[in-house]
Amino acid sequence: AKSQGGQRYAFFDESLKQQLFNRVQVEADLRTAIKENQFILYYQPQVSLAEGRVTGLEALIRWQHPEKGLIPPNAFIPIAEQTGLITTLDTWSLREACRQLKEWQSAGLADVTVSVNLSAQQFQDSELLSLVATTLSETGLSPEYLDLEITESCAMSSPACAITIMQALTELGVSISIDDFGTGYSSLAYLKQFPIETLKIDRSFVMNIESDDKVASLCDSIAHLAHRLGLRVVAEGVETEEQLKFLVSAACDIVQGYFFSKPLSVANVLPFASNFFWE
Ligand code: C2E
Ligand code: CA
Ligand code: CA
Ligand code: CA
């Protein structure tokens, strides 16, 4: 028994060491990547069901690693959060997304917004307001085309503070979406007070619409709730026609997911958006 315990301990210790090594390694790599500008944004189309066209693009960061290739955000965002590097990445994503949309607008893309993900750290940063204001003025993007996505857990962790920050942001003219809605604890009293425009139903619900009636009626309830509060509903992670049909019946406003399109590289966005029509 004793030697088993010892083995378990050794195993635990090894995996901890491995994790730590990985973290230290990724952190060092991330610092280099920031210096050498190894990040790019992909853009996932958001389709308005009423308009049958692409009305939004969600900017999603990827790391173009010189040896490892394209690395998805889940492999480095958590480490960027632990090391505080996340605000540097978010600042970059924000500026790049605004710059890119402005460029697409000059090429003729009209009435399409860009959504940028903000980490909790960036959302609570005292410089956020001036960062957003400066970014808009330097890129020349009109504020009504910028949407900022904040997760439900970030918004609800200190709702009173969140309201103040959100109000200041909306005074700049940008809009706010609550991301991953339904995965955390939400206070309806606060939800009503948030100056937001959109609730994004989390993919973990959407993917179970067909297999679980309770999840389906939950999605339906979220859509009703959102509309009662005067908010739009975006469903994320829509992959199948059955999910889409259900979401249409639930009066969901906007759909985002592989069914319509995976996140696209910059070169593919304009061709997709200008040729897309759904009825
Ligand atoms: P998220 O904000 O919930 O973004 C949606 C994720 O779901 C994206 O993953 C997207 O590619 C994926 N997705 C969309 N439709 C489907 C679908 O139909 N099926 C499946 N299986 N997946 C779908 P991605 O691009 O890997 O991003 C993961 C997360 O990384 C994002 O989740 C977001 O939390 C974070 N992230 C991405 N870019 C940034 C950024 O610039 N800043 C911060 N702070 N976080 C970011
Ligand atoms: Ca998001
Ligand atoms: Ca989400
Ligand atoms: Ca999600």
Side-chain angles (χ1 to χ4, degrees):
K2 200 181 173 195
S3 81
Q4 234 177 30
Q7 260 173 356
R8 231 193 330 261
Y9 181 78
F11 175 73
F12 181 61
D13 198 44
E14 259 320 295
S15 92
L16 254 187
K17 229 159 70 188
Q18 191 59 47
Q19 271 178 33
L20 192 65
F21 177 76
N22 182 50
R23 192 185 128 170
V24 169
Q25 179 72 54
V26 176
E27 179 179 355
D29 275 13
L30 269 176
R31 289 186 188 278
T32 308
I34 289 167
K35 262 194 235 119
E36 299 184 356
N37 231 325
Q38 293 172 1
F39 298 97
I40 52 166
L41 292 178
Y42 272 48
Y43 294 88
Q44 189 173 35
Q46 300 179 323
V47 173
S48 156
L49 296 178
E51 297 182 53
R53 67 173 185 97
V54 176
T55 53
L57 298 163
E58 180 177 13
L60 295 158
I61 198 169
R62 273 102 183 83
W63 177 2
Q64 264 183 323
H65 195 285
E67 287 119 40
K68 295 176 189 157
L70 206 62
I71 305 180
N74 294 338
F76 63 90
I77 294 270
I79 292 163
E81 283 172 339
Q82 288 161 29
T83 53
L85 293 171
I86 189 65
T87 53
T88 307
L89 297 188
D90 281 351
T91 300
W92 179 82
S93 293
L94 176 68
R95 168 174 286 271
E96 179 56 18
C98 292
R99 188 204 63 74
Q100 182 64 71
L101 181 59
K102 181 69 186 177
E103 190 182 308
W104 282 327
Q105 288 178 342
S106 304
L109 189 71
D111 291 325
V112 175
T113 58
V114 72
S115 294
V116 176
N117 291 284
L118 287 189
S119 65
Q121 278 174 63
Q122 184 74 306
F123 181 65
Q124 282 146 12
D125 193 305
S126 60
E127 305 286 308
L128 178 65
L129 268 200
S130 61
L131 175 71
V132 173
T134 308
T135 304
L136 289 168
S137 80
E138 287 178 4
T139 59
L141 186 73
S142 277
E144 69 263 31
Y145 294 107
L146 177 62
D147 175 66
L148 299 173
E149 296 195 2
I150 293 144
T151 64
E152 177 183 43
S153 54
C154 169
M156 290 295 170
S157 74
S158 51
C161 294
I163 291 173
T164 310
I165 301 168
M166 288 174 177
Q167 262 159 1
L169 285 170
T170 55
E171 273 161 30
L172 290 179
V174 305
S175 65
I176 296 166
S177 297
I178 300 292
D179 202 0
D180 299 349
F181 188 77
T183 59
Y185 164 82
S186 247
S187 155
L188 291 185
Y190 279 117
L191 195 59
K192 211 176 70 181
Q193 290 178 59
F194 287 159
I196 55 176
E197 283 187 14
T198 308
L199 288 188
K200 293 190 80 174
I201 303 180
D202 192 62
R203 185 168 78 84
S204 60
F205 296 106
V206 173
M207 66 192 267
N208 291 313
I209 282 175
E210 293 155 80
S211 60
D212 189 337
D213 287 350
K214 286 193 187 123
V215 168
S217 58
L218 195 65
C219 290
D220 197 55
S221 304
I222 293 175
H224 277 283
L225 170 74
H227 290 150
R228 290 290 289 270
L229 295 174
L231 307 176
R232 299 185 313 174
V233 188
V234 176
E236 68 175 12
V238 179
E239 293 186 356
T240 70
E241 191 160 8
E242 285 65 35
Q243 290 164 358
L244 179 64
K245 276 187 185 146
F246 179 84
L247 292 162
V248 168
S249 76
C252 180
D253 303 289
I254 289 167
V255 158
Q256 181 183 345
Y258 294 177
F259 181 75
F260 285 126
S261 174
K262 291 198 168 180
L264 300 170
S265 67
V266 166
N268 291 320
V269 170
L270 279 191
F272 182 91
S274 41
N275 292 315
F276 180 87
F277 191 77
W278 181 79
E279 54 183 339

Coordinates of all heavy atoms in Angstrom, one line a residue, residues 232-273:
R232 N -31.4 40.8 -28.5 CA -31.3 39.9 -29.6 C -30.7 38.6 -29.1 O -29.9 38.5 -28.1 CB -30.3 40.4 -30.7 CG -30.6 41.7 -31.3 CD -29.6 41.9 -32.4 NE -28.2 41.7 -32.0 CZ -27.2 41.7 -32.8 NH1 -27.3 41.9 -34.1 NH2 -26.0 41.5 -32.3
V233 N -31.0 37.5 -29.8 CA -30.4 36.2 -29.4 C -29.5 35.7 -30.6 O -30.0 35.6 -31.7 CB -31.5 35.2 -29.2 CG1 -30.9 33.9 -28.6 CG2 -32.5 35.7 -28.3
V234 N -28.3 35.3 -30.2 CA -27.4 34.6 -31.2 C -27.3 33.2 -30.7 O -27.0 33.0 -29.5 CB -26.0 35.3 -31.2 CG1 -25.1 34.6 -32.1 CG2 -26.2 36.8 -31.7
A235 N -27.4 32.2 -31.6 CA -27.1 30.9 -31.2 C -25.7 30.5 -31.8 O -25.5 30.7 -33.0 CB -28.2 29.9 -31.7
E236 N -24.8 30.0 -30.9 CA -23.5 29.7 -31.5 C -23.3 28.2 -31.6 O -24.0 27.4 -30.9 CB -22.4 30.3 -30.6 CG -22.3 29.8 -29.2 CD -21.1 30.3 -28.5 OE1 -20.5 31.3 -28.9 OE2 -20.7 29.7 -27.4
G237 N -22.5 27.8 -32.5 CA -22.2 26.3 -32.6 C -23.3 25.6 -33.3 O -23.5 24.4 -33.1
V238 N -24.0 26.2 -34.2 CA -25.1 25.6 -34.9 C -24.5 24.7 -36.1 O -23.8 25.3 -37.0 CB -26.1 26.6 -35.5 CG1 -27.2 25.9 -36.3 CG2 -26.7 27.4 -34.4
E239 N -24.7 23.4 -36.0 CA -24.0 22.5 -37.0 C -25.0 21.8 -37.9 O -24.6 21.4 -39.0 CB -23.2 21.5 -36.2 CG -22.0 22.1 -35.5 CD -21.0 21.0 -34.9 OE1 -21.4 19.8 -35.0 OE2 -20.0 21.4 -34.3
T240 N -26.2 21.6 -37.5 CA -27.1 20.8 -38.3 C -28.4 21.6 -38.7 O -28.8 22.6 -38.1 CB -27.6 19.5 -37.5 OG1 -28.4 20.0 -36.4 CG2 -26.4 18.8 -37.0
E241 N -29.0 21.1 -39.7 CA -30.2 21.7 -40.2 C -31.4 21.6 -39.2 O -32.2 22.4 -39.0 CB -30.7 21.0 -41.5 CG -31.8 21.7 -42.2 CD -31.9 21.4 -43.7 OE1 -31.2 20.5 -44.1 OE2 -32.7 22.1 -44.3
E242 N -31.3 20.4 -38.4 CA -32.4 20.2 -37.3 C -32.2 21.3 -36.3 O -33.2 21.9 -35.8 CB -32.2 18.8 -36.7 CG -32.8 17.7 -37.6 CD -32.0 17.5 -38.9 OE1 -30.7 17.7 -38.9 OE2 -32.6 17.2 -39.9
Q243 N -31.0 21.6 -35.9 CA -30.7 22.6 -34.9 C -31.2 24.0 -35.4 O -31.9 24.7 -34.7 CB -29.2 22.7 -34.5 CG -28.7 21.5 -33.7 CD -27.2 21.4 -33.8 OE1 -26.5 22.2 -34.4 NE2 -26.7 20.5 -33.0
L244 N -30.9 24.2 -36.7 CA -31.3 25.5 -37.3 C -32.8 25.6 -37.3 O -33.4 26.6 -36.9 CB -30.8 25.6 -38.7 CG -31.1 26.8 -39.5 CD1 -30.6 28.1 -38.8 CD2 -30.7 26.7 -40.9
K245 N -33.5 24.5 -37.7 CA -35.0 24.6 -37.7 C -35.6 24.9 -36.4 O -36.5 25.7 -36.2 CB -35.5 23.2 -38.2 CG -35.5 23.1 -39.7 CD -36.3 21.8 -40.2 CE -36.2 21.6 -41.7 NZ -36.1 20.2 -42.1
F246 N -35.0 24.2 -35.4 CA -35.5 24.4 -34.0 C -35.3 25.9 -33.6 O -36.2 26.6 -33.1 CB -34.8 23.5 -33.0 CG -35.3 23.8 -31.6 CD1 -36.5 23.2 -31.2 CD2 -34.7 24.7 -30.8 CE1 -37.0 23.5 -29.9 CE2 -35.2 25.0 -29.5 CZ -36.3 24.4 -29.1
L247 N -34.1 26.4 -33.9 CA -33.8 27.8 -33.5 C -34.6 28.8 -34.3 O -35.0 29.9 -33.8 CB -32.3 28.1 -33.8 CG -31.4 27.3 -32.8 CD1 -30.0 27.2 -33.3 CD2 -31.5 27.9 -31.4
V248 N -35.0 28.5 -35.5 CA -35.9 29.4 -36.3 C -37.3 29.4 -35.6 O -37.9 30.4 -35.3 CB -36.1 28.8 -37.7 CG1 -37.3 29.5 -38.4 CG2 -34.8 29.1 -38.5
S249 N -37.7 28.2 -35.1 CA -39.0 28.1 -34.4 C -39.0 28.8 -33.1 O -40.0 29.2 -32.6 CB -39.5 26.6 -34.3 OG -38.7 26.0 -33.3
A250 N -37.8 28.9 -32.5 CA -37.6 29.5 -31.2 C -37.4 31.0 -31.4 O -37.2 31.8 -30.4 CB -36.5 29.0 -30.4
A251 N -37.5 31.5 -32.7 CA -37.4 32.9 -33.0 C -36.0 33.5 -32.7 O -35.9 34.7 -32.4 CB -38.5 33.8 -32.3
C252 N -35.0 32.6 -32.7 CA -33.6 33.1 -32.6 C -33.3 34.1 -33.7 O -33.8 33.9 -34.8 CB -32.8 31.8 -32.6 SG -31.1 32.2 -32.5
D253 N -32.6 35.1 -33.4 CA -32.4 36.2 -34.4 C -31.2 35.9 -35.3 O -31.2 36.1 -36.5 CB -32.1 37.5 -33.7 CG -33.3 37.9 -32.8 OD1 -34.3 38.2 -33.3 OD2 -33.1 37.8 -31.5
I254 N -30.1 35.4 -34.7 CA -28.8 35.3 -35.4 C -28.2 33.9 -35.2 O -28.3 33.4 -34.0 CB -27.9 36.4 -35.1 CG1 -28.4 37.7 -35.7 CG2 -26.5 36.1 -35.6 CD1 -27.7 38.9 -35.2
V255 N -27.7 33.3 -36.2 CA -27.1 32.0 -36.1 C -25.6 32.0 -36.5 O -25.3 32.6 -37.5 CB -27.9 31.0 -36.9 CG1 -27.1 29.8 -37.2 CG2 -29.2 30.6 -36.2
Q256 N -24.8 31.3 -35.7 CA -23.4 31.3 -36.0 C -23.0 29.8 -35.8 O -23.3 29.2 -34.8 CB -22.7 32.2 -35.0 CG -21.2 32.3 -35.2 CD -20.5 33.2 -34.1 OE1 -21.2 33.9 -33.4 NE2 -19.2 33.0 -33.9
G257 N -22.3 29.2 -36.7 CA -21.8 27.9 -36.5 C -21.4 27.2 -37.9 O -21.6 27.8 -38.9
Y258 N -20.9 26.0 -37.7 CA -20.3 25.3 -38.9 C -21.4 25.1 -40.0 O -21.1 24.9 -41.1 CB -19.7 24.0 -38.5 CG -18.5 24.1 -37.6 CD1 -17.9 22.9 -37.1 CD2 -17.9 25.3 -37.3 CE1 -16.7 23.0 -36.3 CE2 -16.8 25.4 -36.5 CZ -16.2 24.2 -36.0 OH -15.1 24.3 -35.2
F259 N -22.7 25.0 -39.6 CA -23.7 24.8 -40.6 C -23.6 25.8 -41.7 O -23.7 25.5 -42.9 CB -25.1 24.8 -40.0 CG -26.2 24.6 -41.0 CD1 -26.4 23.3 -41.5 CD2 -27.0 25.6 -41.5 CE1 -27.4 23.1 -42.4 CE2 -28.0 25.4 -42.4 CZ -28.2 24.1 -42.9
F260 N -23.4 27.1 -41.3 CA -23.3 28.1 -42.3 C -21.8 28.3 -42.7 O -21.5 28.4 -43.9 CB -23.9 29.5 -41.8 CG -25.4 29.5 -41.9 CD1 -26.1 29.8 -40.8 CD2 -26.0 29.2 -43.1 CE1 -27.5 29.9 -40.8 CE2 -27.4 29.2 -43.1 CZ -28.1 29.5 -42.0
S261 N -20.9 28.4 -41.7 CA -19.5 28.6 -42.0 C -18.6 28.4 -40.8 O -19.0 28.8 -39.7 CB -19.3 30.0 -42.6 OG -17.9 30.2 -42.8
K262 N -17.5 27.7 -41.0 CA -16.4 27.7 -40.0 C -15.8 29.1 -40.0 O -16.0 29.9 -40.9 CB -15.4 26.7 -40.4 CG -15.9 25.3 -40.2 CD -14.7 24.3 -40.2 CE -15.3 22.9 -39.8 NZ -14.3 21.9 -39.7
P263 N -15.0 29.4 -38.9 CA -14.3 30.7 -39.0 C -13.4 30.7 -40.2 O -12.8 29.7 -40.6 CB -13.4 30.6 -37.7 CG -14.2 29.7 -36.8 CD -14.8 28.7 -37.7
L264 N -13.4 31.9 -40.9 CA -12.7 32.0 -42.2 C -11.4 32.8 -42.1 O -11.4 33.7 -41.3 CB -13.7 32.7 -43.2 CG -15.0 32.1 -43.5 CD1 -15.9 33.0 -44.3 CD2 -14.8 30.7 -44.2
S265 N -10.5 32.5 -42.9 CA -9.3 33.3 -43.0 C -9.7 34.6 -43.7 O -10.7 34.6 -44.4 CB -8.2 32.6 -43.7 OG -8.6 32.4 -45.1
V266 N -8.9 35.6 -43.5 CA -9.2 37.0 -44.0 C -9.5 36.9 -45.5 O -10.5 37.5 -45.9 CB -8.0 37.9 -43.8 CG1 -8.1 39.2 -44.6 CG2 -7.9 38.2 -42.3
A267 N -8.8 36.2 -46.3 CA -9.0 36.1 -47.8 C -10.4 35.6 -48.1 O -10.9 35.9 -49.2 CB -7.9 35.3 -48.4
N268 N -10.9 34.8 -47.3 CA -12.2 34.1 -47.6 C -13.5 34.9 -47.2 O -14.6 34.5 -47.5 CB -12.2 32.7 -47.0 CG -11.2 31.8 -47.7 OD1 -11.1 31.8 -49.0 ND2 -10.5 31.0 -47.0
V269 N -13.3 35.9 -46.4 CA -14.4 36.6 -45.8 C -15.3 37.3 -46.8 O -16.5 37.1 -46.9 CB -14.0 37.5 -44.6 CG1 -15.2 38.4 -44.1 CG2 -13.5 36.7 -43.4
L270 N -14.7 38.2 -47.6 CA -15.5 39.0 -48.5 C -16.2 38.1 -49.5 O -17.4 38.3 -49.8 CB -14.6 40.0 -49.2 CG -14.3 41.3 -48.5 CD1 -13.7 42.4 -49.4 CD2 -15.6 41.9 -47.8
P271 N -15.5 37.1 -50.1 CA -16.2 36.2 -51.1 C -17.4 35.5 -50.4 O -18.4 35.4 -51.0 CB -15.1 35.2 -51.5 CG -13.8 35.9 -51.3 CD -14.0 36.9 -50.1
F272 N -17.2 35.1 -49.2 CA -18.3 34.4 -48.5 C -19.4 35.3 -48.3 O -20.6 35.1 -48.6 CB -17.8 33.8 -47.2 CG -18.9 33.0 -46.5 CD1 -19.1 31.6 -46.8 CD2 -19.8 33.7 -45.6 CE1 -20.2 31.0 -46.1 CE2 -20.8 33.0 -45.0 CZ -21.0 31.6 -45.3
A273 N -19.1 36.5 -47.6 CA -20.2 37.4 -47.2 C -21.0 38.0 -48.4 O -22.2 38.1 -48.3 CB -19.6 38.5 -46.3

